[in-house]
Structure formats: structure tokens, C-alpha cells
Amino acid sequence: AAGPAGMLQPRDTPSRERKELGGLWSFRADLSPGRDAGGPVIDMPVPASFNDITQDPSLENYIGWVWYEKEVLLPPRWLRGDPAPRLVLRFGSAHYYSIVWVNGVQVVEHEGGHLPFEADISSVVQASPGTLCRITVALNNTLTPHTLPPGSIQYMTDKARYPKNYFVQDIRFDFFNYAGIHRPVVLYTTPAAYIDDITVTTTSSDTAALVHYQVSVVGSTANSLSLSLLDQEGKVVATGDGPVGELKVLNPNLWWPYLMHEKPGYLYSLEVKMQAQVGGVLLEDVYTLPVGIRTVHVTSSQFLINGRPFYFHGVNKHEDADIRGKGLDWPLIVKDFNLLRWLGANSFRTSHYPYAEEIMDLCDAYGIVVIDESPGVGIKLPESFGNKSLQHHLAVMEELVRRDKNRPSVVMWSVANEPASELPPAAHYFKTVIAHTKALDPSRPVTFVTDANYALDRGAPYVDVICVNSYFSWYHDPGHLEVIPLQLTAQFENWYKTYQKPIIQSEYGADSVPGLHSDPPMMFSEEYQQALLRHYHSVLDKKRKEYVIGELIWNFADFMTNQGTTRVLGNKKGIFTRQRQPKAAAFVLRDRYWKIANESSCLPPLITSHSLFL
């Protein structure tokens, strides 16, 4: 298992090289109950989910072990030198449980489907003759009451109705449990002594900012560190040395959200250089970290970024698309960011798991604000609140904070979505997870997203911001839009009266099948989705003058779910189709978001949705 080591994103630097291992891998599913027999060996793209790639229905809904394998030629220079470079194999993510071998030697095991893991494979590769490196991955997507997300395996024992050994995977969340190697696999090198981790926090006033840093080095006790902070023109604006310190920046360019500033997402580059003596040889390592200077502060009724009130007008997303499932796909990622900016969205929540680092990089660069959510979705069963689940949840928060702690776009952690937080053990559970997250990162507020009753929720006392999901006139009083004003107003007032904390409407929405029309509006028509949004917006417009600090539509795009009698090829609550084409509701939201942006902006209202895209 991975220790408390750093998890810096692999980058090419003067001292580090990277080799991406995407493309075709050999793949086989253990299709039969016998240990030795498996399905055929086939080609499988990486990164991608395996579920939708073939015409085999047994692979679409497969539960159990699958195998991936690839042979890679290593550059000879990676194996030479005294000391030889350190060689690391890293997976951006693989769902859910992974065991990895290199040349037949097990190098790492990892539980969790949405965060990176890696292994130092130097000794294994140097012990093998030649430069061929065989990477084998066993992957299991089974979910249990103690995984995150949880699930359970249900055996159907009625012989009259089910074949022998028949089972199904039960999940308590509404999205398809795609599996596979979902994010890039890379080999990268560092010197034998290297920069292992960097932690950055920032504080600022009107005229100056401080960049506090902490750097850890592994492989050498005798080393020196020098740091330079460069602006976007490449000019050095501050320097420092040593493992801990602060850099003072005069008249800093702050990191601002999209539509709050004419230059959103301003990033400096922190260049860290290490020199170390190892066995009489001088080694040098260089790593460059993007740094955004910004502060976050929560009051009883406001969310402040750089001291200015910030209103979340954004979306919930999924990593989900045709054919590739949850596999990382650059055209899709760039299309989604272009749609977000067209929409006038300034934020999203990573519902319901951490997203790819490549997506987070663009949030930092474009000024898209992120509520960074753990895979804690579907925590419904009492046994999922026990000590075993809790310990794993704490470990997952450590992995998530370690990966994303330096990102200016991340302004809040979310530890869970719609847990059964009315259950008695939820109090201790969420108190512990939230306290642990704050201890790991005191610089950001922490929340979880609730759909429990305000009077019964046992986790809410511990959050900094109340995030509420509600589906009035959809799951409750379906078809009755007229109840929304009363019910939504009561929801906000009850929560605020009880907790005096700012509130985000973290989910609301309605399914609409594109091309289905009805006036007067009826459920599943594009008109009903539009009407429901407008009813919610009229209440939000009153409450955002008081203590409501945001609204996130469910969902950005249609996405795949398990099959069920209320799901026609997935969840249709997207304002865009799964192919990213707008439904009528997208235009309602776009008009609203640009209106809100122009109200609160210090920019001239010349920024219209059109001028940005001409």
C-alpha cells in the first residue's frame, strides 16, 4: 500500500522524463467460475472503460476480475548510470481494486477507483535482463458495504428462478459502475534523490501576497533547495531556499474565478530545484508547480474568494460518455469546458468522485471553481458507517487532499453525497471524516451533500457550508410544479434557522427526453424541465440576496445508469444530451448565468456570452 509519500503529477522537466503507455493493451475477463478458465484475450483501449467496447453482453455488466497486460520497451538510458534514475509506474486511476505486476513481480496493490497510485519499479526492472518491461494488471470492480462507493453482492438462491451461483451487484447510487483503466498510465523517471512533495498555501492583501511552501526530499539527507516563482511572462517575482518558507509577491495577480475578472485563472509557476550528494555524485532534480494566489473564507451567509462574495452558478457533472464510459478523452474534456464557458457557469462539483487531474488542470487554468468530492456516494446501509468503512474513508480523503491540495480551483472538499445521515452512527462518522479532512488541510472549508430532513441530519453540525439536494415536483409531488415555491422556500428557511450557515442548492432538476414536447408542460418533456428550473430560480433569486450562495444544476449532461423502469438508456436530467447537444433548458440556464455574472461583476457588462466566442 502507498505510504504518506507525495503524489506530484508526473511532468517533463530538465531532470525528469515521462512515457505514456496509452493505446491498446491485451485484455481478458475471468468469465467462468473456475479459476483457470477465462474469456478470450482481446485488444482493449487504455484509457477507457471496458464495458461498452465490445458486443459481448456479459462484459457490459461484468462483475469480477479482469486482466490487462502490455509490454513496453524502456529507453536504455533509464537503466544506466550510477546511481541509475528512479523509475516509477503510475496509474491515474483504475476501477476499483488493482494489483500490478512488473515482469512477474508484484509492485503495488490499490483500493479505490478514482485516485492515482504508483510504484517505484527501479529494482524490478534493473534485475531483469534487457529493456523489455511487462506490465500486468488485475482489476476487480466488485463493490462491498465497506468500499467507497459502497455496494453489495446479492446471491439469488431461488433455483426455480435463477441459474446456479447467480448474483447481482446492488448499488445505492444512480450512475453506471463503469470499470477499467480509466486514466493515463505513465512511466516516469526522477533522479535517485528527488523532490517528493510540495505543499503550497497563499495569503494576500491588496498590495502583497505570501506563498507559503513546504518541500520534502527523499533519497538524501544532504541536499539544498532553491525556489523561484515566475509570472506568466516568465519573470522571476520571488525567490527562496530551504524546505520551508514563504515567498513575498508585491502587487500580485490574484487567481480569480471565470467571469469575476478579465484575466481569470492566473497561474504563477513555482520552480523548485534540489541539489543532493548521493554516493559522491551531485544529483539535481527540478519540478515546476502551477500556483494560484487566492484566499477562501466562509461567513454565516457568504462565500468569499479573495475577500469578494462568490456565488456558485454552475453544474454537477459526471465522467461519462458514449463508448469510452469513464475513460479520459481529450476532445470530450475540451468540448465540456467550452460548453461550461458558453453557459456562463463558473463552477462545478466533482459529483460523485474525484475527476481526472487533466480536468482539474484546466479548472486551475480557466478559473472554474471546484467543489472536490470524494467517492462517498451511496453510503446508505448501517454497516457502511462502521469502523472498517470509516478507516477507508479517512484514507481516501488523505489520497484526495494529497493529490489536489495545491489547486487554486479547489475551494471546498465534499466528503460524501446523499448519505443516510439521519442514522445515529452518522454523527460520529461525519464528525470524524470532516475533522480528519480539516486536519489534513486547514485552508479549505469542508462539506457533504445532504438530502436528509434538516431536523434529522446528524452530520450537518460539522459542515462549513450546507449543501442540499431536492427534487420538488419530480421525485416528490411529480408533475405538480405549483408546490415548488412553498416547499423550496421552507427548505431554505428551515436549514438557515437551524444552522446559520450559507446554503448551496447542490442538486435540482428534471429528466427530459430530447425532442419530447408538451404544452402545458408534462414530465419528461423539454418544456417541463424548463418550467421546473424557472420555478426554482424564482425562489433562488429571493434567497441569494440573503444566505444562499450557489446553485448547481443536476446535471450538465445525460449519463448512463443501471437499467431500471425509470431509466431510459440512463439518466436524462442533463441540460445537454450525452452527445453534448443543448436541450431547451440549456438556454434558460445560459440566460440566467450570464445575467447573474453581469450583476455581480466588477467588469463592464461588455462581457456578453457572445463576445467571448466570436
Side-chain angles (χ1 to χ4, degrees), residues 48 76 219 599:
E599 277 170 22

Side-chain angles (χ1 to χ4, degrees), residues 58-84:
S58 62
L59 202 55
E60 174 72 47
N61 297 297
Y62 180 76
I63 307 292
W65 289 102
V66 300
W67 297 81
Y68 283 83
E69 190 164 82
K70 190 175 182 72
E71 294 203 324
V72 185
L73 270 174
L74 301 176
R77 66 179 178 280
W78 286 9
L79 305 173
R80 288 198 296 261
D82 189 18

Side-chain angles (χ1 to χ4, degrees), residues 48 127 159 231 251 317 349 363 381 403 406:
K159 300 272 193 321
D231 66 13
N251 302 317
K317 287 182 99 279
R349 168 168 67 123
C363 293
L381 299 170
R403 191 194 77 164
N406 296 323

Side-chain angles (χ1 to χ4, degrees), residues 502-545:
I503 303 172
I504 295 176
Q505 181 72 43
S506 40
E507 285 183 31
Y508 69 104
D511 286 77
S512 73
V513 178
L516 218 53
H517 294 290
S518 159
D519 188 60
M522 289 175 77
M523 288 177 77
F524 292 98
S525 68
E526 293 196 39
E527 285 74 15
Y528 192 89
Q529 188 181 31
Q530 281 186 301
L532 185 144
L533 265 56
R534 289 194 170 111
H535 278 78
Y536 262 80
H537 295 161
S538 64
V539 177
L540 285 162
D541 279 341
K542 294 189 183 78
K543 294 300 173 189
R544 69 188 171 97
K545 297 188 177 77

Side-chain angles (χ1 to χ4, degrees), residues 433-595:
V433 174
I434 290 170
H436 185 68
T437 307
K438 291 191 163 203
L440 293 166
D441 173 24
S443 75
R444 288 177 181 87
V446 181
T447 188
F448 74 89
V449 174
T450 182
D451 63 349
N453 179 290
Y454 76 96
L456 305 176
D457 194 307
R458 292 166 183 259
Y462 308 108
V463 303
D464 296 305
V465 171
I466 303 282
C467 291
V468 188
N469 295 351
S470 59
Y471 288 93
F472 304 127
S473 88
W474 190 260
Y475 293 121
H476 314 274
D477 304 297
H480 294 281
L481 293 164
E482 63 278 3
V483 304
I484 292 174
L486 192 67
Q487 292 182 5
L488 187 57
T489 302
Q491 168 199 286
F492 286 138
E493 291 176 355
N494 288 332
W495 276 103
Y496 198 73
K497 192 169 78 231
T498 309
Y499 287 106
Q500 273 92 51
K501 292 173 182 174
I503 303 172
I504 295 176
Q505 181 72 43
S506 40
E507 285 183 31
Y508 69 104
D511 286 77
S512 73
V513 178
L516 218 53
H517 294 290
S518 159
D519 188 60
M522 289 175 77
M523 288 177 77
F524 292 98
S525 68
E526 293 196 39
E527 285 74 15
Y528 192 89
Q529 188 181 31
Q530 281 186 301
L532 185 144
L533 265 56
R534 289 194 170 111
H535 278 78
Y536 262 80
H537 295 161
S538 64
V539 177
L540 285 162
D541 279 341
K542 294 189 183 78
K543 294 300 173 189
R544 69 188 171 97
K545 297 188 177 77
E546 301 174 50
Y547 46 75
V548 169
I549 58 162
E551 55 191 74
L552 305 174
I553 188 73
W554 188 267
N555 191 285
F556 171 77
D558 293 346
F559 58 92
M560 192 47 69
T561 62
N562 269 2
Q563 297 180 67
T565 44
T566 61
R567 293 285 174 260
V568 185
L569 281 181
N571 187 306
K572 295 281 184 273
K573 289 191 183 68
I575 56 167
F576 297 101
T577 65
R578 201 180 190 206
Q579 294 72 37
R580 279 36 186 193
Q581 299 306 322
K583 302 179 193 174
F587 297 94
V588 171
L589 215 54
R590 182 176 189 242
D591 288 347
R592 173 173 180 77
Y593 283 2
W594 283 100
K595 188 172 129 269

